[in-house]
Amino acid sequence: MYRLPTAPLPISGVLDDGFRLFRAVWRPLLPISVVAALISDLGQGLLAGLMDVKPGELPTGPLLGTGTIGSIAVIFVLSVVSWAVLLAGIDQSARTGRSPIRDALGIGIRRSPAALATAILATLALVAGFVLLVIPGMYLMVVLYPVFILPIAEQLGPWRSMQRAYDLVTGSWWRTATVITVLGLVVVAVFALASVLGGLAAVPFIDNDNAEAALEVALVVQVVVSLLLSPLLPLPYCMMYALYTDLRLRKDGADLLERAAAARV
């Protein structure tokens, strides 16, 4: 059974904590991970379809704009709901040692509006930071890294989540940036290896002499690979949660331990 750390950890310890949390949650959250993977495929399929449409085949005016924007908006909202549910399950498992899907669904769906507003606000802040200069954008990327957890784990609204993320990272920016880099490399390596293996397994089924058939096979392969990778989907969120926990321990100290103990009673 996973247990929250009781003291701040070194970088290797944060990494290990994220893996321990992942091992505790991936099975109970597998149905949610599968749904989230399919939603992601919908978004990728929509973008791929738009890129493949020839200019002469595009629908005219409002139909294209309304349909495309509406589809993207729906997929974006569904994506936010799916990661809110995953984070709710991870948070429940970390705090109580249990991660029932019913509780994760209830909390995740209930907190989705706050999570959506937080995602939009954080995205606008990042865009503004990169438009101004690269350095403010990089600074905000690190400061806002834990912001997506806060509407779930601490039941905060969008603006308060932004403030809380800033408070957590202040004084630990360089350490947080280092941990994010290491965690990111690990997660990217795991997903890249799994994707390559899935792609190699699909090579014998692709007919390069038939473009349409090859495209259909590629789409099917994409869905199959996504489903095979879906058990890994909670991994980056678990790593994010491990770093968030470490930041809370460094900021809140003993008070956090008392609240964690109370949550298990």
Side-chain angles (χ1 to χ4, degrees), residues 62-119:
L63 180 60
L64 173 63
T66 303
T68 302
I69 293 173
S71 299
I72 292 174
V74 169
I75 292 172
F76 178 70
V77 170
L78 291 175
S79 297
V80 170
V81 173
S82 66
W83 65 252
V85 172
L86 280 174
L87 281 173
I90 291 168
D91 183 56
Q92 286 291 299
S93 181
R95 292 177 186 273
T96 68
R98 297 177 296 102
S99 185
I101 290 181
R102 180 181 298 178
D103 291 349
L105 284 170
I107 296 171
I109 292 173
R110 186 171 66 251
R111 297 299 302 166
S112 287
L116 177 60
T118 301

Side-chain angles (χ1 to χ4, degrees), residues 3-139:
R3 291 189 179 276
L4 283 168
T6 57
L9 300 170
I11 293 176
S12 59
V14 174
L15 186 66
D16 180 65
D17 186 51
F19 275 116
R20 288 193 298 108
L21 182 55
F22 169 71
R23 288 195 296 269
V25 304
W26 77 268
R27 285 188 182 88
L29 293 180
L30 184 56
I32 305 300
S33 299
V34 170
V35 172
L38 292 176
I39 291 172
S40 176
D41 278 341
L42 283 176
Q44 295 178 29
L46 175 62
L47 293 176
L50 289 174
M51 294 177 64
D52 288 338
V53 174
K54 298 178 181 179
E57 298 174 351
L58 289 172
T60 58
L63 180 60
L64 173 63
T66 303
T68 302
I69 293 173
S71 299
I72 292 174
V74 169
I75 292 172
F76 178 70
V77 170
L78 291 175
S79 297
V80 170
V81 173
S82 66
W83 65 252
V85 172
L86 280 174
L87 281 173
I90 291 168
D91 183 56
Q92 286 291 299
S93 181
R95 292 177 186 273
T96 68
R98 297 177 296 102
S99 185
I101 290 181
R102 180 181 298 178
D103 291 349
L105 284 170
I107 296 171
I109 292 173
R110 186 171 66 251
R111 297 299 302 166
S112 287
L116 177 60
T118 301
I120 293 172
L121 185 60
T123 300
L124 291 175
L126 286 173
V127 170
F130 279 107
V131 167
L132 291 174
L133 281 173
V134 174
I135 293 178
M138 296 295 292
Y139 174 80

Side-chain angles (χ1 to χ4, degrees), residues 145-169:
Y145 184 75
V147 76
F148 304 104
I149 292 176
L150 298 171
I152 309 299
E154 299 190 18
Q155 306 283 298
L156 300 179
W159 182 247
R160 186 67 188 93
S161 293
M162 300 277 283
Q163 294 175 319
R164 174 65 166 157
Y166 175 81
D167 292 340
L168 286 171
V169 176

Side-chain angles (χ1 to χ4, degrees), residues 159-254:
W159 182 247
R160 186 67 188 93
S161 293
M162 300 277 283
Q163 294 175 319
R164 174 65 166 157
Y166 175 81
D167 292 340
L168 286 171
V169 176
T170 298
S172 302
W173 191 93
W174 283 108
R175 184 182 187 281
T176 303
T178 303
V179 175
I180 290 172
T181 301
V182 174
L183 296 182
L185 290 174
V186 171
V187 171
V188 168
V190 170
F191 274 86
L193 177 61
S195 297
V196 169
L197 293 177
L200 290 175
V203 168
F205 302 98
I206 298 178
D207 182 5
N208 293 321
D209 296 329
N210 188 330
E212 292 185 2
L215 178 60
E216 292 177 358
V217 171
L219 291 175
V220 172
V221 168
Q222 177 181 328
V223 173
V224 172
V225 170
S226 294
L227 292 176
L228 292 175
L229 290 177
S230 60
L232 295 175
L233 201 56
L235 179 60
Y237 299 106
C238 289
M239 294 297 181
M240 183 186 294
Y241 196 94
L243 177 55
Y244 157 72
T245 299
D246 190 65
L247 289 171
R248 287 188 70 189
L249 282 165
R250 293 172 186 276
K251 281 290 180 181
D252 301 340

